[in-house]
Amino acid sequence: MSDRATNERLADLQTHDRGFLHPFTDHKALRAKGTRVIERADGVYLWDASGHRIMDGMSGLWCVNLGYGRGELVEAARAQLETLPYYNSFFQCTHPPAIELTKMLMEVSPVKLKQVFYTGSGSEAIDTVVRLVRHYWTLQGKPGKNIIISRENAYHGSTVAAASVGGMGPMHSQGGLPIPGIVHIEQPYHFKNGAGMSPADYGRKAAQALAAKIEWLGVDNVAAFVAEPIQGAGGVIIPPETYWPEVKKVLARYDILFVADEVICGFGRTGEWWGSTYYGLEPDLITFAKAVTSGYLPLGGVFVGERVAEAIVEKGGEFYHGFTYSAHPASCAVAIENLRLLRDEGHIERVKNDTGPYLQKRWRELGDHPLVGEVRGLGFLGALELVKDKRTRELFDPVGTVGTIARDISVEQGLVMRAVRDGLIIAPPLTMTRAQIDELVETAGRTLDLTAKAIA
């Protein structure tokens, strides 16, 4: 196709795309710029409608862990759609894919987890958690024990309940959020909040914010603490090593439930099946989604631990909650094959022992750049904190402009990195090779150089 024909086709696609109300988008700005139309993908690469090849440094939205073009996942969906394309899991019904997937998930679960509740997304999984923890305490004869504690700047989804559990101010400013009964504590963000403190001292301090909040609210009023092992969309916030051990002590002291949001950390992102395993956590409930199918079809869920599961079964009575697509047969079939490939092809072990350490070694080389105030990373997660002054860690003003400039330059250079405030973050497919990691880091370095020139 000629350049003229390609451009005409792209313009036509962009014109018709104006009817699509995109998520998390300034539509006035989008109308002026036009959407980037992604047409195909293979491995760790995307191609847009102009033929531009782009390395996907974000696995879509943290989800395409096995990379693009896996025919096995496509075939799993096709075979299931031919056999049983849909049936609901209401009214005491089930189907073989839901049963097999539940069995496989239990085999890789990190702690004493007894049941799985299926949803269509991570947001729905968090909504389910809100319902479950409050239902549990009502069954225990403590209906007033219903406050949920989360963390500032945490992202847990965008439905009303999930956005409330999340701690992002811009989301709370729209729609009267958070809903009642949800409160937030300081995030373990040493770069931003720990000036003058060692990471170890700051980690303990940030953990004690949980104890202080429980005491202030009254333990008889607090139902659960919800947290990601590593805050993902909040900026890949790697907690200091002292943080989670101290939080575990706090949780052991008080009678509340602990919910680990593993929507991003789950299924190999940290080099373990679960971020909870990496940090030695013992959640009562775990939310998951995204990489359970490598993003090929929507699916999410909640692992339900022993004490919650036993209360629901032993007390009896209907739990008035569910979704049309809970345990959708085709999504479950894709998840089964996805888990098999993750396990049998050794992707998680390779991230733990080979490519993960290599990515972190190469990624940290970017810390020498004048724009980079801090490099963070673990497994197949990474972040670069961009600053105006490297020596003083002075931030850019207004916050967010430089990060957006860097993000757009990165895409033009052939790499998707996500901007969070004035930071750049990555979460590449677990299938990425050492050579592709080299390409990623080199493109990121070139992006930093071009960004520095652009803002000079």
Side-chain angles (χ1 to χ4, degrees), residues 125-237:
I126 290 292
D127 283 24
T128 299
V129 159
V130 173
R131 298 286 308 280
L132 266 175
V133 299
R134 290 174 172 172
H135 180 55
Y136 168 77
W137 288 115
T138 298
L139 290 175
Q140 300 301 102
K142 299 179 180 180
K145 197 171 172 66
N146 58 22
I147 298 175
I148 294 169
I149 301 173
S150 181
R151 299 185 296 195
E152 296 169 354
N153 195 40
Y155 181 84
H156 292 292
S158 61
T159 54
V160 170
S164 295
V165 174
M168 294 193 161
M171 296 179 71
H172 289 175
S173 69
Q174 297 175 339
L177 304 179
I179 59 176
I182 296 173
V183 299
H184 300 87
I185 60 172
E186 180 177 337
Q187 62 181 326
Y189 191 178
H190 180 255
F191 182 84
K192 180 182 177 184
N193 299 329
M197 301 181 69
S198 70
D201 287 343
Y202 174 72
R204 285 186 284 267
K205 173 184 176 292
Q208 283 304 315
L210 175 60
K213 184 66 75 172
I214 294 170
E215 291 287 351
W216 185 78
L217 293 166
V219 69
D220 290 338
N221 300 316
V222 179
F225 174 53
V226 181
E228 298 168 273
I230 295 168
Q231 285 179 243
V236 182
I237 308 302

Side-chain angles (χ1 to χ4, degrees), residues 184-313:
H184 300 87
I185 60 172
E186 180 177 337
Q187 62 181 326
Y189 191 178
H190 180 255
F191 182 84
K192 180 182 177 184
N193 299 329
M197 301 181 69
S198 70
D201 287 343
Y202 174 72
R204 285 186 284 267
K205 173 184 176 292
Q208 283 304 315
L210 175 60
K213 184 66 75 172
I214 294 170
E215 291 287 351
W216 185 78
L217 293 166
V219 69
D220 290 338
N221 300 316
V222 179
F225 174 53
V226 181
E228 298 168 273
I230 295 168
Q231 285 179 243
V236 182
I237 308 302
I238 312 291
E241 291 182 2
T242 54
Y243 178 77
W244 279 117
E246 195 70 18
V247 168
K248 287 174 68 176
K249 293 177 185 177
V250 173
L251 291 170
R253 195 183 314 153
Y254 299 99
D255 186 24
I256 67 171
L257 299 173
F258 172 45
V259 183
D261 182 347
E262 293 270 11
V263 169
I264 286 174
C265 291
F267 304 103
R269 184 60 56 189
T270 65
E272 301 284 355
W273 276 94
W274 307 96
S276 294
T277 303
Y278 182 88
Y279 286 110
L281 307 178
E282 297 182 356
D284 294 288
L285 300 133
I286 290 177
T287 57
F288 64 88
K290 293 189 183 292
V292 68
T293 65
S294 280
Y296 280 54
L297 282 178
L299 184 67
V302 181
F303 278 116
V304 183
E306 230 170 13
R307 62 168 165 164
V308 178
E310 288 174 2
I312 290 172
V313 172

Side-chain angles (χ1 to χ4, degrees), residues 10 12-38 61 155 158 174:
L10 175 58
D12 183 63
L13 288 168
Q14 289 174 328
T15 297
H16 287 90
D17 184 66
R18 291 177 178 178
F20 176 15
L21 194 64
H22 290 256
F24 285 89
T25 297
D26 178 338
H27 284 84
K28 182 178 181 180
L30 178 65
R31 185 67 61 91
K33 183 178 181 181
T35 45
R36 182 178 296 277
V37 181
I38 303 299
L61 271 178
Y155 181 84
S158 61
Q174 297 175 339

